[in-house]
Structure formats: structure tokens, C-alpha cells
């Protein structure tokens, strides 16, 4: 009976204590424009963050964030990642074709922070569609 009371007390302590999820953040700020015109507005952009687990360089992982640009072509993507588990190296940015521009893929290097996350920044231009 004494053991049962101890187990119940321990379980009650776990239920009362809030569980805090440890996570870091990865972010990417960017700006996309046509090579010969104004920024692309409302382009669908997919950002893939790449990294490797500490000590295992062959392993990569990805986090996806689908976002759109504002009228100036600027965008921001933020994802939560496990704290201090991965070393983030770069982000792949894929811009879908629009009525003004071709599809484009670019790479942005990431700077890791001391909390397991990182930040990337990229300004780039995409090729316009040639309209006959």
C-alpha cells in the first residue's frame, strides 16, 4: 500500500508540473525580384532547411515552410527545430513559376546560433518569362 501511495504521488507530481518543449528556431529572411523589373508579388516560395546531426556528417534533415512574398518581394520563414540536435548549414529556396517569372531555386548559407537554431538571409533575382 505504501508503494502504491508513492507511485500515485509521483504521477500526481508529473501531471502538475508543466512540460516545457525545448526548441530552437530557424529563420530565413529574403527578397526576390525579376532580373529586369519590379519585385515578384505573392510568389509561392518553399524553403527547405538542411543540416546534419552532430558528428554524423552524412545525415541531413529538412524542415519545410511555405510562404508568400509581400508587394516588395520580401518574405520571412520561421520553423521550430529540436534544441541543439542539428548543425544547420544552408537553406534551399524554391520559387514557383508566376505569370511574370520562371521557377527558380537558390541556396542560402545559414549562420548557427548558440541555441541550436540559425538564421539565413538571401536577396536574389529570378528570370522573367519571355512573352511573345
Amino acid at each position: 500500500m505504501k508503494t502504491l501511495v508513492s507511485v500515485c504521488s509521483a504521477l500526481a507530481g508529473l501531471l502538475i508540473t508543466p512540460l516545457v518543449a525545448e526548441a530552437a528556431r530557424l529563420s530565413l529572411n529574403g527578397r526576390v525580384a525579376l532580373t529586369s523589373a519590379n519585385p515578384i508579388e505573392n510568389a509561392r516560395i518553399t524553403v527547405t532547411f538542411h543540416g546534419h546531426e552532430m558528428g554524423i556528417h552524412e545525415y541531413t534533415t529538412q524542415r519545410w515552410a511555405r510562404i508568400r512574398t509581400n508587394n516588395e518581394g520580401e518574405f520571412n520563414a520561421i520553423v521550430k527545430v529540436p534544441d541543439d540536435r542539428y548543425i544547420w548549414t544552408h537553406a534551399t529556396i524554391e520559387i514557383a513559376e508566376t505569370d511574370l517569372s520562371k521557377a527558380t531555386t537558390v541556396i542560402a548559407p545559414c549562420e548557427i546560433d548558440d541555441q541550436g537554431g540559425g538564421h539565413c538571409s538571401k536577396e536574389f533575382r529570378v528570370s522573367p518569362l519571355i512573352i511573345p
Side-chain angles (χ1 to χ4, degrees), residues 7-79:
V7 170
C8 288
S9 296
L11 287 174
L14 284 175
L15 293 175
I16 293 171
T17 306
L19 299 175
V20 178
E22 294 293 327
R25 289 174 12 142
L26 274 175
S27 64
L28 170 79
N29 295 331
R31 184 172 183 275
V32 57
L34 286 173
T35 54
S36 61
N38 296 326
I40 299 296
E41 299 178 10
N42 297 319
R44 191 179 74 247
I45 298 174
T46 303
V47 178
T48 307
F49 293 99
H50 304 266
H52 59 82
E53 204 161 0
M54 288 187 219
I56 307 172
H57 295 283
E58 298 80 26
Y59 181 79
T60 60
T61 189
Q62 299 178 339
R63 296 292 188 268
W64 300 88
R66 183 163 289 203
I67 43 102
R68 290 185 178 272
T69 67
N70 64 13
N71 291 341
E72 287 75 44
E74 297 170 341
F75 61 92
N76 188 309
I78 298 174
V79 295

Side-chain angles (χ1 to χ4, degrees), residues 2 7 16 18 22 33 62 77 80 84 90 113 120 123:
K2 192 174 185 180
V7 170
I16 293 171
E22 294 293 327
Q62 299 178 339
K80 289 185 178 180
D84 260 355
H90 64 282
D113 60 24
C120 309
E123 185 169 328

Side-chain angles (χ1 to χ4, degrees), residues 92-107:
T92 302
I93 307 161
E94 298 175 72
I95 295 94
E97 183 176 308
T98 71
D99 57 345
L100 298 173
S101 63
K102 297 179 181 178
T104 305
T105 301
V106 295
I107 303 293

